[in-house]
Amino acid sequence: MTWLLLAALLLMAGGLGTALWLAARGTAIERLAGMQFAGTVTVLTLLLLVQAYGPSSAVILPLTLTVLAFAGTLVFARLLGTR
Amino acid sequence: MTIAAQILVFAGVFVVLASAAGLLRAKDLLTRLHFLSPATTLGAPLVGIGLVLVNGVHLGSGAILATVVLLALTGPILQSATARLEARHRGEIDEDLPS
């Protein structure tokens, strides 16, 4: 399963680093784009790590994160829109 | 089958990393949002299909497919909401028009 770990490592290094950089700079709306990218990369990394290490039932974690990240980002967008 | 799965997963990872490079290079938020789309609508399904090929027909495969389909569906909605927020912030949306 080494190739799954390599893919997860690439995603974490290249994707999460970029997402954190974007989420830490600019205006609040610009940082929202970084948060969206962080959610996508985290879901994909979790899928790969569950495939490599975990029981298959742990796929519920990225599935739940997808729904929560969607709702959370919409709430952020709503709150920023009222400012 | 494993070779095909590896090719699909690394193709998906490459798409996400290319999107990350584009996100870093983009100067504007609206340009940046264009680079978010490939990660959710192309990269995620590629990774998901690759993992399904590894698992075979299995309940976990259904959950993986549901996850990537949800990502591909919710990604454009979030980008649209963010773009609308930015356009409203810039004053480029006529508030009297129906949305």
Side-chain angles (χ1 to χ4, degrees):
Chain A
M1 291 298 166
T2 316
W3 62 277
L4 287 170
L5 297 181
L6 176 64
L9 188 68
L10 283 174
L11 273 183
M12 279 193 279
L16 273 185
T18 305
L20 287 177
W21 176 260
L22 291 174
R25 291 166 60 86
T27 65
I29 304 175
E30 286 172 356
R31 294 202 294 270
L32 205 58
M35 200 183 80
Q36 287 177 36
F37 192 61
T40 304
V41 171
T42 310
V43 166
L44 292 179
T45 307
L46 276 176
L47 277 178
L48 290 168
L49 289 179
V50 165
Q51 183 70 39
Y53 285 121
S56 63
S57 59
V59 180
I60 198 72
L61 292 173
L63 182 57
T64 311
L65 179 62
T66 308
V67 179
L68 288 182
F70 174 60
T73 310
L74 278 185
V75 169
F76 267 114
R78 177 80 177 170
L79 291 176
L80 287 174
T82 57
R83 285 176 62 187
Chain B
M1 196 64 90
T2 312
I3 299 294
Q6 287 178 1
I7 290 173
L8 285 172
V9 167
F10 280 106
V13 170
F14 174 75
V15 168
V16 174
L17 294 182
S19 296
L23 281 169
L24 282 179
R25 282 182 59 86
K27 305 288 183 197
D28 188 15
L29 175 63
L30 295 179
T31 315
R32 192 168 285 162
L33 288 174
H34 283 102
F35 287 104
L36 271 176
S37 305
T40 53
T41 55
L42 183 62
L46 280 174
V47 172
I49 293 171
L51 293 181
V52 166
L53 281 184
V54 176
N55 280 329
V57 180
H58 190 259
L59 191 59
S61 304
I64 291 173
L65 280 181
T67 306
V68 294
V69 166
L70 264 179
L71 262 186
L73 287 179
T74 58
I77 297 173
L78 292 179
Q79 287 141 32
S80 161
T82 312
R84 189 171 180 80
L85 187 63
E86 172 71 4
R88 180 177 293 171
H89 185 71
R90 291 183 186 179
E92 293 175 355
I93 286 186
D94 188 357
E95 298 290 347
D96 295 331
L97 290 177
S99 57

